[in-house]
Amino acid sequence: MEIFYTVMLLIIATVVANMVYPHFPLVPQAFYQIFAGMILSLLPIYSHFTLEPEMFMLIIIAPLMFHDGQNIDTHELRKHMSSTLSMSVLLAIITVIIMGYISHAIIPSIPLALTFALAAIVTPTDNVAVSSITSNVEMPHNVMGMLERESLFNDASGLVAFSLALNAFTTGEFSVGTGIKSFLFVFLGGLIIGLMLGTILIWSRIRLVRNGMDSTSVIVPFDIISPFAIYLIAEHFGFSGILAVVAAGVLRSAFSKQIRLSNTSLQLVSKSTWNIVTDILNGFVFVLLGVSIPTVWHDIQKESMAALPKYLVLSIILYVVMVVLRYLWVKFSFANIQSKANDHNKNAIISALSGIHGTITLSMAFSIPFTLGNAPFPYRTIIVFMATVIIILSLLVPAIVLPMMLPSNKADIDPNAIKDQKRKTVNYATKKVIDNNPQQKTDAHIVAATLSSQYSSGRPSDKRFRKIMKAANEVEINSIQTLVDTNKINAKIANYYIRRLVWQAQRNRQFSFYIIVFAIKHFNHLIIRKFKKQPHKKVQYDNQRKLFKQMESYGYENVMQFLSKDHNAEDQAAVNAARHSYNFRHKRLNENGSSERQNELFIQAFQYEYNYIQEKSTLGNMSQLIAEELYKQVSIDQLIYMQQSNDGREK
């Protein structure tokens, strides 16, 4: 029960911090989450809280790294693989060696093996922390891409180096050859077993879908438990569980086309579920950091208060050394981030400052045993304290400096610009659906009407609605008059159809009274009777029903073409309402199993929207921030539609 309360409070703290952030966005979201964690630490349930490293790695880090892997651009990863490994492996090893010797030189009382362990602890960067701290600034795309790719692998580098250093201290034995062999075994073994298990899971998932077991209750849990299973199996055989889940995630990204052969509803539910899970876990990362800080401070006060200034100075030195090493590594192109000559030095500084550390660092520090033999583990509290200080420095410095170097991304987020681009996106998609499906015009127009509601909300004014309906009614009656003039429809049939149309309009109030006025004007031989509630006397004509449907369909198509034209933004709500009225009538008269066709057209339309956003953002006609916001909105619209579609089928 205590675990339940612990988790619930962490969720509440994460949600509250996320609710506060939009009101005060100048402060990065991570700091609100850390502060929420520090408030939680005041509760007895979190008294002297420490992370359980194995559980933390399994429950939080494994799914987050798997998610990052499956969302990485594999083309970019292959293209920049040498630079990625240079940053995440070679630079990580050099950083551990240099900082280990510096720490031992400054405080010789700390054994060299433990200074290497400290250096390994503070080496890994945290992509979650980077994203949170840089959320208010416009990061260069090439720098952000490099940071994301680097964070996939340097966690494992730090973990392996830490394990070797800790083992050397506890056993008193270490050789360079053995250390290299062990590093390669754990590192490469993690990659290989991750690729093997990832292949098995992808094959199993595809088989499930092909065999008809593609319901969300089967596939979504299968996807969610995948990183946990991969991590546990890799760790069981002594390999890096983190690298295994990263490798499996990247493999999943490479086979994304095959995986997407599943139905759209499943894809959307799976994607939204992963987004919810990762959002919560990302918040947990910083809330847990905040919960841990008071415990760290309490322990250092109790054990080493006199030497506190010396440890603070060493922490600052180590942080500066890491920043300088990262700067030089990028500056002299040991890792090529493909910067323009004029921007290279600036991007090197940004890359150096963005090497932010997070709770993987803290979890490694907490994984140091409490005891060695029958005595307390030496320097454990000091190492945990210095790791915490370096984490805080790595969060504070870029939060202060980067906004001075980079433009704010908030300037680009103009609600009116987003609304305008959304309108253009939907117009593009609806036009493509209608133009590319001439054999399914009715369904295409219904889909277009539904899509148009994405960017137009609210009830239209009566004046605007009457204006649009009057124009639409004129188009319909003109269409029927054309049929009469070209001798395709008998005038008496047309008169009777219009009379029924007027009566239905008066009865249901679906259409404007202008249809009556316009009918009298164009069909002067039509006598408008005083309509009563009983139906009209049936007029006997051969194939009357067929002719009525022909007139209705012809008029409907012309009205839809009229409504699909560009209208004033102020009239859009009225246009959508008119579309709804005509679609409602047309659907009642032509209910012939069109729901499946409409589903296919909706899938097409959403894909057209994605294509439009991608094309415009690639050409530079749409800012990246607006593109990301539109991607999010289209995904939500898609999810809502598919959920409603599923609910309708279940009923």
Side-chain angles (χ1 to χ4, degrees):
M1 201 65 178
E2 184 175 330
I3 295 177
F4 173 76
Y5 287 130
T6 302
V7 173
M8 286 302 298
L9 288 171
L10 289 173
I11 293 175
I12 292 171
T14 303
V15 171
V16 171
N18 294 344
M19 290 170 61
V20 173
Y21 169 68
H23 298 287
F24 307 97
L26 291 178
V27 178
Q29 189 176 27
F31 288 105
Y32 292 109
Q33 293 165 344
I34 292 172
F35 183 69
M38 294 178 70
I39 293 175
L40 279 186
S41 69
L42 301 176
L43 300 177
I45 195 172
Y46 292 103
S47 178
H48 304 294
F49 176 84
T50 57
L51 293 171
E52 291 291 339
E54 286 301 320
M55 293 300 293
F56 178 78
M57 291 290 180
L58 172 64
I59 296 175
I60 296 181
I61 301 303
L64 285 178
M65 297 302 292
F66 183 76
H67 181 259
D68 287 344
Q70 69 180 359
N71 284 284
I72 199 73
D73 187 330
T74 52
H75 173 73
E76 288 294 311
L77 182 61
R78 288 194 300 269
K79 182 179 177 181
H80 300 286
M81 181 57 75
S82 59
S83 294
T84 300
L85 293 178
S86 174
M87 290 289 292
S88 60
V89 180
L90 191 56
L91 176 60
I93 293 173
I94 291 173
T95 301
V96 169
I97 294 171
I98 292 175
M99 292 202 306
Y101 280 113
I102 289 176
S103 300
H104 184 65
I106 294 175
I107 307 180
S109 60
I110 302 179
L112 186 60
L114 285 185
T115 59
F116 281 140
L118 170 62
I121 286 170
V122 299
T123 294
T125 57
D126 189 336
N127 184 49
V128 174
V130 173
S131 300
S132 179
I133 294 300
T134 60
S135 60
N136 293 331
V137 295
E138 189 173 340
M139 285 283 287
H141 180 71
N142 55 334
V143 174
M144 197 65 192
M146 182 271 290
L147 294 171
E148 290 173 350
R149 293 187 293 271
E150 176 195 8
S151 66
L152 285 176
F153 300 102
N154 70 357
D155 292 342
S157 299
L159 284 165
V160 174
F162 169 71
S163 178
L164 292 174
L166 201 61
N167 185 64
F169 177 76
T170 55
T171 62
E173 298 178 359
F174 180 77
S175 70
V176 175
T178 303
I180 293 174
K181 288 180 182 178
S182 181
F183 182 89
L184 292 176
F185 175 80
V186 175
F187 193 94
L188 296 178
L191 289 177
I192 292 170
I193 197 170
L195 292 173
M196 291 171 57
L197 294 173
T199 301
I200 294 171
L201 289 173
I202 290 170
W203 178 85
S204 301
R205 191 186 192 278
I206 292 173
R207 295 298 299 175
L208 286 171
V209 172
R210 287 180 178 174
N211 291 332
M213 291 180 284
D214 59 346
S215 66
T216 54
S217 60
V218 174
I219 299 299
V220 173
F222 179 88
D223 289 344
I224 295 296
I225 66 174
S226 293
F228 304 112
I230 293 168
Y231 180 89
L232 289 172
I233 293 172
E235 289 289 325
H236 175 75
F237 289 104
F239 304 125
S240 170
I242 294 298
L243 267 177
V245 296
V246 167
V250 172
L251 188 67
R252 183 183 170 94
S253 175
F255 283 87
S256 58
K257 289 184 179 179
Q258 288 84 341
I259 292 173
R260 285 175 189 154
L261 292 176
S262 54
N263 66 69
T264 306
S265 175
L266 173 59
Q267 293 177 42
L268 291 170
V269 173
S270 179
K271 184 176 180 179
S272 61
T273 302
W274 268 111
N275 287 339
I276 293 169
V277 169
T278 54
D279 284 347
I280 293 175
L281 293 180
N282 285 337
F284 274 16
V285 166
F286 296 105
V287 172
L288 286 171
L289 175 59
V291 170
S292 304
I293 288 175
T295 300
V296 174
W297 178 249
H298 176 268
D299 291 342
I300 197 71
Q301 277 185 315
K302 187 170 62 175
E303 292 188 18
S304 308
M305 200 63 186
L308 183 62
K310 182 167 58 176
Y311 300 135
L312 281 172
V313 170
L314 177 57
S315 301
I316 295 171
I317 290 173
L318 292 179
Y319 172 70
V320 172
V321 168
M322 281 191 291
V323 171
V324 171
L325 285 174
R326 289 180 63 84
Y327 168 75
L328 295 175
W329 202 261
V330 177
K331 171 69 175 177
F332 294 103
S333 299
F334 292 108
N336 184 10
I337 60 173
Q338 296 185 331
S339 296
K340 295 179 181 178
N342 295 337
D343 298 330
H344 187 67
N345 189 63
K346 179 181 178 181
N347 286 344
I349 296 173
I350 295 169
S351 301
L353 292 174
S354 300
I356 301 172
H357 311 283
T359 48
I360 292 179
T361 290
L362 198 61
S363 68
M364 280 197 285
F366 277 123
S367 70
I368 299 174
F370 285 96
T371 59
L372 181 61
N374 295 322
F377 196 98
Y379 299 101
R380 181 185 188 276
T381 300
I382 293 168
I383 292 174
V384 172
F385 171 75
M386 286 195 290
T388 305
V389 172
I390 290 172
I391 290 172
I392 294 173
L393 284 172
S394 73
L395 291 169
L396 279 174
V397 173
I400 295 170
V401 177
L402 289 181
M404 300 177 185
M405 299 179 62
L406 297 170
S408 171
N409 61 21
K410 297 301 180 184
D412 291 341
I413 303 180
D414 181 359
N416 292 327
I418 292 176
K419 188 174 180 180
D420 182 60
Q421 289 290 355
K422 183 64 178 290
R423 179 178 62 82
K424 292 177 180 178
T425 302
V426 174
N427 285 345
Y428 172 84
T430 54
K431 187 176 186 304
K432 293 286 286 185
V433 167
I434 293 170
D435 292 347
N436 293 343
N437 296 277
Q439 305 302 319
Q440 304 179 50
K441 285 187 177 180
T442 299
D443 295 316
H445 286 303
I446 291 174
V447 169
T450 305
L451 288 175
S452 296
S453 65
Q454 292 177 2
Y455 66 89
S456 177
S457 58
R459 181 185 179 90
S461 69
D462 290 340
K463 181 179 179 181
R464 293 187 185 278
F465 180 66
R466 286 197 299 270
K467 167 191 166 186
I468 295 297
M469 285 303 299
K470 177 183 178 181
N473 298 158
E474 290 177 356
V475 169
E476 181 174 21
I477 295 180
N478 278 334
S479 300
I480 298 171
Q481 182 66 59
T482 300
L483 293 176
V484 174
D485 293 342
T486 56
N487 297 319
K488 293 181 179 179
I489 293 292
N490 183 280
K492 291 183 178 180
I493 295 289
N495 289 343
Y496 183 56
Y497 173 78
I498 293 296
R499 195 162 65 244
R500 288 292 299 268
L501 201 64
V502 173
W503 172 74
Q504 194 67 34
Q506 198 177 56
R507 182 184 178 189
N508 294 336
R509 298 188 181 276
Q510 289 276 344
F511 294 86
S512 165
F513 68 90
Y514 285 104
I515 195 170
I516 302 174
V517 177
F518 202 77
I520 295 173
K521 178 179 177 182
H522 283 74
F523 293 85
N524 50 27
H525 51 285
L526 174 63
I527 300 173
I528 305 298
R529 303 174 181 176
K530 290 185 177 180
F531 295 105
K532 300 180 181 179
K533 289 188 177 181
Q534 68 271 19
H536 288 287
K537 193 174 183 180
K538 186 175 181 181
V539 180
Q540 299 297 325
Y541 291 109
D542 292 337
N543 300 321
Q544 178 177 296
R545 181 175 178 82
K546 180 179 178 181
L547 293 171
F548 271 25
K549 290 185 69 174
Q550 180 183 344
M551 284 186 286
E552 195 279 334
S553 295
Y554 186 72
Y556 171 80
E557 288 178 10
N558 282 276
V559 169
M560 289 298 108
Q561 289 178 11
F562 162 71
L563 295 176
S564 297
K565 294 178 181 178
D566 288 334
H567 294 274
N568 295 331
E570 296 81 6
D571 290 336
Q572 195 58 54
V575 169
N576 291 338
R579 271 191 176 132
H580 175 75
S581 295
Y582 272 93
N583 283 332
F584 178 78
R585 186 194 73 185
H586 187 70
K587 189 175 180 181
R588 289 185 62 186
L589 294 175
N590 297 271
E591 200 68 66
N592 53 1
S594 64
S595 59
E596 287 302 320
R597 295 197 302 270
Q598 289 177 24
N599 285 341
E600 294 174 3
L601 294 177
F602 269 113
I603 294 171
Q604 282 185 28
F606 288 127
Q607 190 58 55
Y608 288 138
E609 291 189 353
Y610 286 127
N611 293 346
Y612 178 84
I613 297 168
Q614 182 178 11
E615 178 185 347
K616 293 300 180 182
S617 61
T618 302
L619 294 174
N621 297 331
M622 181 188 297
S623 74
Q624 193 63 34
L625 287 168
I626 290 180
E628 290 175 1
E629 179 62 26
L630 290 181
Y631 276 131
K632 188 185 301 182
Q633 290 185 19
V634 174
S635 295
I636 293 172
D637 293 334
Q638 197 175 14
L639 178 62
I640 291 172
Y641 167 73
M642 295 307 299
Q643 186 60 52
Q644 290 174 341
S645 178
N646 284 342
D647 292 344
R649 282 197 293 267
E650 289 172 3
K651 291 177 182 178

